[in-house]
Amino acid sequence: VPGATVSPPPAAGTPRERARATFTADLLAAARRQVAEVGAAQLSLRGVARELGVASSAVYRYVDSRDALLTLLLIEAFDEVGTACETAFAQTSGAGASAGETWVAVARAFRAWALEHRHSYELAYGTPVPGYVAPADTTSHATRVWGVLGRLVIAAGLDGDLAPLSPPADVRGLVTPGVLAFAGGLGDGGPGEAGLDVEEGVVRSVVLFDALVGAVSTELFGHLHGVTTDADRLFGVTIAAVATGVGLTSRPPG
Amino acid sequence: VPGATVSPPPAAGTPRERARATFTADLLAAARRQVAEVGAAQLSLRGVARELGVASSAVYRYVDSRDALLTLLLIEAFDEVGTACETAFAQTSGAGASAGETWVAVARAFRAWALEHRHSYELAYGTPVPGYVAPADTTSHATRVWGVLGRLVIAAGLDGDLAPLSPPADVRGLVTPGVLAFAGGLGDGGPGEAGLDVEEGVVRSVVLFDALVGAVSTELFGHLHGVTTDADRLFGVTIAAVATGVGLTSRPPG
DNA sequence: TGTACATCAGTGAACGCGCGTTCACTGATGTAC
DNA sequence: TGTACATCAGTGAACGCGCGTTCACTGATGTAC
């Protein structure tokens, strides 16, 4: 009956596999909750096991080590924020918004995710967790936000919404070949086809990325505590100002 | 002999007091080294005691708790970076540089300190140390960098180097009264006398501050790893772009 | 100058806590004939 | 359908480590008379 295995039933696999899958899901959920509560640096396998009502050694049937669990959560975090930014980009630019408006929407999505998942943000963009180094296979997930920023710049160029860098800067040789290749593969046919300087585009993306991390980190880590009466609005103004800096013009409608 | 106590000798105080002072200095130095090596989150009183060759309980004669020690180091960090920025500001603006040039110099000083004191930067501007809350008396030290940025904006306004916020933004009611008062006391007579909108000036300072933290955090926390061939130059371009965003024009010389 | 007392520095043991990881083990679930 | 064996899940105890903080204590350094 080889055909039977082709179309998987609602819950696929042998009973054992299903049990394993659900327990793994529970384990990840518990780990997520733990990170949300105490932060990634304080994530402990024993704590997770405790929450699941299971011996601490049992966790090792499902996960190689604490660091492996951290990696799973890190990938999840990058995917969440990546999806949030991609969605915001698609919806806003799809609705015919200017590059500046799209940028603000993406930035707001980034911030909203960070505020909702404070400790995931810390794990992804904060101080590295002591003793933990993210393995190489996390980068493809981390890159998704970069992809959005890159396409944002490209779209702005295509729409004529891109002012020259001001002050003018020589960016030749600033960007790594690997990243140049990555940027070249973005958008419809890439930035080159749009007559854009790829290197300069990457630099603009870096400024945008720095702005995201800067604005969210200062707010989340308490450096704006007592400074503003309306963090939301201040974020918007801040983000818009940076847009001007990178040359993302927000043309008046019409 | 009350007059004798008025002019303190080179090493002041009773022998006991002097011993206490030097031991305290040694303790702080060891704690500094420890933070530089393993990071603030991993700072331990036992580790410090070990480095000093002393019983762990002995440290409690000099410091109330681990948190109190962290506070001392945090204040030190803020003072270091504050001094660095203040010096850069004074030297550059004193040499007749434009607002844009002064801003770049201050930003470079900020970054240089961060690179040299990685873990102090993390303590001051990174993810909060789990379980530690900075007491209120650290804020006056944290504020020094803010003071530099504020005076920078004021100086730019006085020199006519300040373009209107672009895109124009309504910033009324955005800033807390306390911070408005702080900003009003900056510079020679304050921003009001220079015909500046104090609230708008604070917002500009926030953008600059976010840019500092953003650029340094992304670099230090590894998010630009493999992106650039010259982090120094990229930082300069990034920072200059933000200057344009907040309206700090760098007029061509002459 | 000398004695009696108070102050302070530093010791070492202990309390109580938490952690990651390993390992021999008991049972249950699957598989092959 | 039934038996013999292999696989896997989960247990509980243990190893070895580190931490912050307390506490009764020994000595040395200071102070008052």
Side-chain angles (χ1 to χ4, degrees):
Chain A
V1 275
T5 63
V6 168
S7 67
T14 74
R16 222 179 219 170
E17 275 167 343
R18 272 185 284 124
R20 187 175 181 84
T22 63
F23 188 94
T24 305
D26 289 354
L27 195 162
L28 282 179
R32 252 183 301 252
R33 271 193 296 275
Q34 186 122 148
V35 166
E37 267 175 42
V38 299
Q42 311 287 333
L43 173 71
S44 86
L45 288 189
R46 293 189 107 107
V48 171
R50 224 176 288 129
E51 185 173 335
L52 292 173
V54 117
S56 65
S57 49
V59 175
Y60 283 85
R61 295 267 171 216
Y62 299 88
V63 124
D64 279 345
S65 64
R66 190 194 95 120
D67 282 9
L69 184 54
L70 263 187
T71 298
L72 288 177
L73 296 172
L74 180 58
I75 288 177
E76 221 174 62
F78 278 135
D79 277 339
E80 277 179 21
V81 69
T83 299
C85 289
E86 284 166 6
T87 304
F89 175 71
Q91 287 184 352
T92 317
S93 72
S98 74
E101 288 162 345
T102 306
W103 155 241
V104 172
V106 169
R108 285 207 177 280
F110 185 90
R111 172 168 176 268
W113 172 80
L115 292 182
E116 269 170 45
H117 306 83
R118 216 207 123 93
H119 288 111
S120 294
Y121 175 83
E122 292 172 358
L123 172 59
Y125 297 106
T127 309
V129 174
Y132 171 74
V133 282
D137 50 310
T138 56
T139 46
S140 70
H141 301 84
T143 318
R144 289 176 60 183
V145 169
W146 284 102
V148 172
L149 298 180
R151 287 197 296 276
L152 187 63
V153 171
I154 293 170
L158 289 172
D159 291 357
D161 283 348
L162 210 49
L165 265 191
S166 161
D170 179 18
V171 297
R172 270 174 302 179
L174 247 190
V175 178
T176 285
V179 170
L180 279 184
F182 170 82
L186 289 176
D188 311 314
E193 197 170 309
L196 293 180
D197 181 328
V198 182
E199 207 141 28
E200 198 182 274
V202 171
V203 170
R204 291 186 207 249
S205 300
V206 170
V207 179
L208 295 179
F209 184 77
D210 288 359
L212 288 181
V213 172
V216 171
S217 290
T218 51
E219 179 179 350
L220 223 51
F221 298 166
H223 292 285
L224 297 184
H225 188 75
V227 169
T228 185
T229 57
D230 188 343
D232 240 83
R233 226 171 102 216
L234 179 60
F235 179 81
V237 175
T238 295
I239 284 298
V242 173
T244 302
V246 281
L248 289 188
T249 61
S250 52
R251 290 169 305 171
Chain B
V1 277
T5 62
V6 168
S7 67
T14 76
R16 222 179 218 169
E17 276 168 342
R18 272 184 285 123
R20 188 176 180 84
T22 63
F23 188 94
T24 305
D26 290 354
L27 196 161
L28 281 178
R32 254 183 299 251
R33 273 193 297 275
Q34 186 123 148
V35 166
E37 266 175 42
V38 300
Q42 310 287 334
L43 173 71
S44 86
L45 288 189
R46 293 187 105 107
V48 170
R50 224 177 287 128
E51 186 175 333
L52 293 173
V54 116
S56 65
S57 50
V59 174
Y60 284 84
R61 295 267 171 216
Y62 298 89
V63 125
D64 279 346
S65 65
R66 189 193 96 118
D67 282 9
L69 184 54
L70 263 186
T71 298
L72 288 177
L73 295 172
L74 180 58
I75 287 176
E76 219 174 62
F78 278 135
D79 277 339
E80 277 180 19
V81 68
T83 301
C85 290
E86 284 167 6
T87 304
F89 175 70
Q91 287 182 353
T92 317
S93 71
S98 73
E101 288 162 345
T102 306
W103 154 242
V104 172
V106 168
R108 285 206 177 283
F110 185 90
R111 173 170 175 266
W113 172 80
L115 292 181
E116 269 170 44
H117 305 85
R118 216 207 124 92
H119 287 112
S120 294
Y121 175 82
E122 293 172 357
L123 172 58
Y125 298 106
T127 309
V129 174
Y132 171 74
V133 282
D137 50 311
T138 56
T139 45
S140 70
H141 302 85
T143 318
R144 289 177 59 183
V145 169
W146 285 102
V148 172
L149 298 179
R151 287 196 295 274
L152 189 61
V153 171
I154 293 170
L158 289 174
D159 291 358
D161 283 348
L162 211 48
L165 264 191
S166 159
D170 179 17
V171 297
R172 268 173 302 176
L174 248 190
V175 177
T176 284
V179 171
L180 278 184
F182 170 82
L186 290 176
D188 310 316
E193 195 169 312
L196 294 179
D197 181 327
V198 183
E199 206 140 29
E200 198 182 274
V202 171
V203 171
R204 292 187 207 248
S205 300
V206 170
V207 179
L208 295 179
F209 184 78
D210 287 359
L212 288 180
V213 172
V216 171
S217 289
T218 52
E219 179 179 351
L220 223 53
F221 297 166
H223 293 285
L224 298 184
H225 189 74
V227 170
T228 186
T229 58
D230 188 343
D232 241 83
R233 225 170 101 217
L234 180 59
F235 179 81
V237 175
T238 294
I239 284 298
V242 173
T244 303
V246 280
L248 289 189
T249 61
S250 52
R251 290 168 304 170

